[in-house]
Amino acid sequence: MFSPMFEKPKEEEGSAVTGGRSGVVAVIGRTNVGKSTLLNALLGEKVSIVSDTVQTTRNVIRAIFTEERGQLVFLDTPGVHKAEGDFGRNLNKMARSSVGGADAILLVFDASRKPWQEDEGWMRRLMKDDTPCVLLFNKTDLGTGFIETYKALWVRVAEEKQSGLHPVWLEGSAVTGDGLSALTDRLFSVVPEGPHLFPEEILTDYPRKLNIGDVIREKLFDRLQDELPHCIAVWVETIDEKEKGWTVEADVYVERHSQKGIVIGAKGRLLKSVQYEAGKELNEMYGVPVKVKLWVKVEKNWRKNFWVLKKLGYA
Ligand SMILES: Nc1nc2c(ncn2[C@@H]2O[C@H](COP(=O)(O)OP(=O)(O)OP(=O)(O)O)[C@@H](O)[C@H]2O)c(=O)[nH]1
Ligand SMILES: [Mg+2]
């Protein structure tokens, strides 16, 4: 398994609540603020892929945090981003609908960058109903210079919408772990009393095929230039589970022939290194040797093809 990025937050003495609390926490925010990094850090295991690319997360992924106080079932969601076409719009919709039915909402901002239109959009959305919400300034290790700007924006929007919602503001860093124990304390105080929603040993119920596809996509993103990632999707065709190891066969979809060459790389080097890196990470994750075999396929306009999007779980 992955080595934790830092130790799981330790229980403060006397902080355990008898009776237990459990609830669903929708984690939302614009793209790239660090939602997935934050959940991986909270769980101490990697359940959701991370990259600098816009809309890295493309499905709603449950990350289940269990301890003596109860259970927080986090929903990692695609970051909202100015949509270009149906694909981006679907991802935005997926994120927005995750808020309905959640017991609490965790809205994440990047404290080191000034607010974007999408940050303000989320503020407006939260003011529409009275689900308890916690607002977290992430990436404080990179700077905290814009915190007051976000707070002033909240006040302005609240006045305009005549909202009486009083959120809790917290600060932290998914990379250093600062502030994360205060975050879970606060979330446990707002979710309802009740039994666990999942067995305690489960970290995620995200299907294995989709997770493996995501890990391969992350390794591709690591190697490719800024523009290409949006044109890439990975679909795992088969996982052949033998005692001595697994063989994963997956298709990498691109939209144009010219992109195929880029993904394969000179003498197939790029693709080979992605196969290697993905296999290495999957080996750590699942505790068995994993051989990854990739085929790059041109699927014109896959982002507009409903059936492809459906198969990938993006629609
Ligand atoms: N320095 C620093 N970098 C961070 C922190 N949290 C996340 N990052 C980086 O920010 C980038 C985006 O992180 P993600 O976790 O993929 O962001 P996200 O909000 O899930 O993005 P989408 O899935 O696209 O919505 C990655 O390069 C992370 O390593 C943090 O607290 N500090
Ligand atoms: Mg993400």
Side-chain angles (χ1 to χ4, degrees), residues 19 54 57 80 115 120 131 148 158 187 209 224 230 280 297-298:
V54 160
T57 305
V80 167
E120 182 176 337
T131 309
E148 292 312 315
L187 290 170
K209 258 189 168 182
L224 291 164
H230 318 291
K280 201 167 96 178
K297 295 193 172 161
V298 180

Side-chain angles (χ1 to χ4, degrees), residues 103-176:
D103 297 296
I105 293 164
L106 173 59
L107 174 57
V108 183
F109 299 121
D110 178 344
S112 70
R113 314 251 334 237
K114 69 174 195 295
W116 296 11
Q117 207 182 337
E118 289 83 356
D119 296 301
E120 182 176 337
W122 270 122
M123 291 183 184
R124 290 179 181 277
R125 171 64 190 83
L126 291 198
M127 288 176 199
K128 277 191 186 165
D129 54 38
D130 54 5
T131 309
C133 56
V134 173
L135 275 50
L136 177 76
F137 290 111
N138 187 36
K139 303 199 189 182
T140 52
D141 56 302
L142 295 181
T144 53
F146 291 100
I147 287 182
E148 292 312 315
T149 319
Y150 282 91
K151 289 187 174 173
L153 178 62
W154 178 277
V155 170
R156 183 170 64 68
V157 177
E159 272 172 12
E160 185 199 310
K161 294 190 73 93
Q162 300 188 320
S163 164
L165 198 63
H166 292 291
V168 175
W169 299 89
L170 296 175
E171 295 175 24
S173 163
V175 165
T176 64

Side-chain angles (χ1 to χ4, degrees), residues 224-277:
L224 291 164
Q225 303 301 316
D226 281 350
E227 282 315 303
L228 213 43
H230 318 291
C231 313
I232 286 182
V234 177
W235 173 247
V236 172
E237 279 291 344
T238 54
I239 308 170
D240 183 17
E241 297 183 31
K242 294 264 161 48
E243 214 175 303
K244 61 180 195 314
W246 299 355
T247 304
V248 169
E249 302 202 36
D251 291 337
V252 178
Y253 296 143
V254 291
E255 292 188 318
R256 290 198 300 273
H257 275 284
S258 57
Q259 296 166 343
K260 185 170 174 173
I262 298 173
V263 170
I264 293 171
K267 295 187 179 157
R269 260 188 237 124
L270 196 147
L271 204 62
K272 273 187 208 148
S273 84
V274 168
Q275 292 180 157
Y276 172 76
E277 291 298 332

Side-chain angles (χ1 to χ4, degrees), residues 30 55 66 79 99 147 189 205 243 256 273 283 315:
R30 72 158 168 79
Q55 292 192 320
T66 308
V99 167
I147 287 182
S189 75
D205 61 348
E243 214 175 303
R256 290 198 300 273
S273 84
N283 182 355

Side-chain angles (χ1 to χ4, degrees), residues 30-38 49-57 76-79 138-142 172-175:
R30 72 158 168 79
T31 187
N32 254 322
V33 292
K35 300 177 293 299
S36 304
T37 311
L38 178 72
I49 61 164
V50 163
S51 89
D52 281 336
T53 302
V54 160
Q55 292 192 320
T56 298
T57 305
D76 189 12
T77 64
N138 187 36
K139 303 199 189 182
T140 52
D141 56 302
L142 295 181
S173 163
V175 165

